[in-house]
Amino acid sequence: DIQMTQSPSTLSASVGDRVTITCRASQTVNNWLAWYQQKPGKAPNLLIYKASTLQSGVPSRFSGTGSGTEFTLTISSLQPDDFATYYCQQYNSFSTTFGQGTKVEIK
Amino acid sequence: EVQLLESGGNLVQPGGSLRLSCAASGFTFRTNAMSWVRQAPGKGLEWVSAITSSGADTYYADSVRGRYTISRDNSKNTLYLQMNSLGAEDTAVYYCAKRTAGVFDSWGQGTLVTVSP
């Protein structure tokens, strides 16, 4: 199975900060990489797919880059609603895997 | 509006069985692959199982293969997960998710499965 490793595990930031989360795959996943946001007690919400394509309705302050084995999620200016946990997901095959998550906390 | 409503979660003893259901509405269920994803308390997301739109092909995580069975009834717009030989490690919120081109673009609210004596 393809292993996904996110860094950092926790990130403390302030409103207005630029935030970057990294996701690394144990082998190439091409561009088959998605990002999700999850708030406590809620289901995850798809933000980005195919590494850099913004899901409909997601604010443009979210962006994704990368290919192969290294990917990043960037929030250009952190908003109060963005404090949450973020997961990457590779879907290079039907057997998909998630990263362990990155919690974005208020500094 | 896409709606996915899971049910069937409960407290079950180790070694027991449980069947989860997911009622779908707001989209053409029979043309979409579906999956189950779980989340243990305080932990991350773990993909559990997937099924193609027709139900002809199924896929499982190593952690549940041989114990869980995914199925669907396209006439009832319902997805199922039969879980057998449950252990403490299966305790989690189980989400039903609509799978579009590999990603999970709609999720249910989740149903809690607790495995405990």
Side-chain angles (χ1 to χ4, degrees), chain A residues 6-26:
Chain A
Q6 290 181 231
S7 60
S9 295
T10 306
L11 187 159
S12 296
S14 302
V15 172
D17 283 354
R18 182 180 181 88
V19 166
T20 299
I21 299 168
T22 298
C23 178
R24 290 186 173 88
S26 60

Side-chain angles (χ1 to χ4, degrees), chain B residues 7-84:
Chain B
S7 60
N10 211 334
L11 172 64
V12 61
Q13 292 191 340
S17 298
L18 211 55
R19 188 175 87 153
L20 306 182
S21 299
C22 172
S25 62
F27 66 103
T28 308
F29 182 73
R30 67 179 183 275
T31 64
N32 281 267
M34 299 292 294
S35 278
W36 290 95
V37 177
R38 70 183 179 183
Q39 187 169 36
K43 302 297 184 182
L45 301 170
E46 180 187 16
W47 171 76
V48 171
S49 183
I51 187 167
T52 54
S53 57
S54 67
D57 296 298
T58 57
Y59 305 84
Y60 299 94
D62 289 345
S63 58
V64 306
R65 188 175 291 113
R67 300 188 299 122
Y68 287 15
T69 302
I70 190 171
S71 63
R72 63 192 296 161
D73 186 336
N74 286 345
S75 68
K76 295 182 178 179
N77 289 351
T78 302
L79 176 71
Y80 302 100
L81 186 68
Q82 176 67 42
M83 304 184 296
N84 298 330

Side-chain angles (χ1 to χ4, degrees), chain A residues 29-107:
Chain A
V29 298
N30 299 298
N31 286 343
W32 306 119
L33 192 285
W35 292 96
Y36 299 83
Q37 177 193 68
Q38 186 180 33
K39 296 181 180 179
K42 301 294 187 181
N45 182 50
L46 176 65
L47 299 175
I48 288 169
Y49 60 95
K50 210 171 179 183
S52 61
T53 303
L54 207 62
Q55 173 73 345
S56 176
V58 173
S60 60
R61 62 181 180 273
F62 291 93
S63 64
T65 60
S67 65
T69 62
E70 188 154 338
F71 303 87
T72 60
L73 171 70
T74 299
I75 309 172
S76 60
S77 178
L78 198 65
Q79 298 303 300
D81 192 49
D82 301 338
F83 291 97
T85 300
Y86 294 83
Y87 294 92
C88 63
Q89 175 219 358
Q90 68 78 17
Y91 52 104
N92 197 49
S93 69
F94 241 101
S95 180
T96 183
T97 46
F98 293 92
Q100 82 279 14
T102 295
K103 185 175 182 180
V104 177
E105 297 181 326
I106 300 173
K107 191 172 185 179

